[in-house]
Amino acid sequence: MEKLYEGKAKILYPGAEAGTVRVYFKDEATAFNGQKRGEIAGKGAVNNQVSAALFRHLEAHGVPTHFVRELSEREMLVRRVEIVPLEVIVRNRAAGSFARRYGVEEGRVLPFPLVEFSYKNDALGDPLICEEAALALGLADREGLADIRALALRVNTLLGDYFARRGLELVDFKLEFGRLPEGRLVLADEISPDTMRLWEVGTGERMDKDRFRRDLGGVEEAYQEVLRRVLEEPKPV
Ligand code: TMP
Ligand code: ASP
């Protein structure tokens, strides 16, 4: 089957139905804009199933997404969208590039959920971008940015609660949005341990791609454990 696109973590193929795309999730892993490369056995299956469960949960709570259905262990069918070239990051605690950029200790709780934008451009290394620059470059308009911000914060509330019931803290995450042919904005891409920081409640143990980025070991095990928590019955909090 002819590929539409191959990225670092996924391959896109035309879907069987008009206006759809089949997404295949790979085990290949990269970090630091592709400078570090490796493989995480079983990652594709985990990321597909975690993303599917989270998209379903968000849809059930009124957040529109590109998700249609799961096709296999590591494939899903999604609606074809035009991706808004912004990476939308929501942070509840200082971590990763935020902690490095501003010289603050990783783990500091932020006084409110912070929304950041990066310009989705691998050649430039996905640079941080302010809203005015995004507008000036025509990446989105004011209304689009306001809608994206509101949806990202709603996703933060819904997923923060979802993971808290599974003993994990949602520290930060990255979203991408797309537009359907009729112009409607929907959540796209994936939401997985590749694109979120999840810390074990109580111990702060890293349960996400930071285990790979930072050579912490137990990478495969952490991915499998996140899938297990996502599939388990939630606990009351
Ligand atoms: P950062 O602290 O490295 O900027 O990452 C913030 C969040 O975004 C973190 O949960 C990991 C996720 N992320 C991606 O999904 N893709 C990326 O390319 C990067 C750099 C981060
Ligand atoms: N996936 C991104 C890259 O390859 C960055 C990351 O997740 O750290 O480079």
Side-chain angles (χ1 to χ4, degrees), residues 31-32 36-37 208-219:
F32 315 115
K36 182 183 173 94
R37 292 172 178 278
D208 54 63
K209 195 175 166 189
D210 272 348
R211 301 204 73 84
F212 169 78
R213 296 188 188 98
R214 302 176 186 188
D215 298 318
L216 299 178
V219 185

Side-chain angles (χ1 to χ4, degrees), residues 1-7 9-26 44 48 55 66-81 189-190:
M1 177 63 97
E2 197 192 324
K3 292 172 191 175
L4 291 173
Y5 179 78
E6 177 158 4
K10 300 186 287 295
I11 307 174
L12 307 185
Y13 299 95
E17 298 147 42
T20 64
V21 171
R22 177 163 59 94
V23 185
Y24 175 93
F25 287 76
K26 303 194 280 190
N48 178 47
F55 283 139
H66 71 160
F67 180 72
V68 179
R69 64 176 176 275
E70 274 178 87
L71 294 173
S72 72
E73 208 182 41
R74 52 171 79 225
E75 292 169 303
M76 64 167 66
L77 191 72
V78 303
R79 296 185 68 187
R80 195 169 188 149
V81 297
D189 194 52
E190 67 177 280

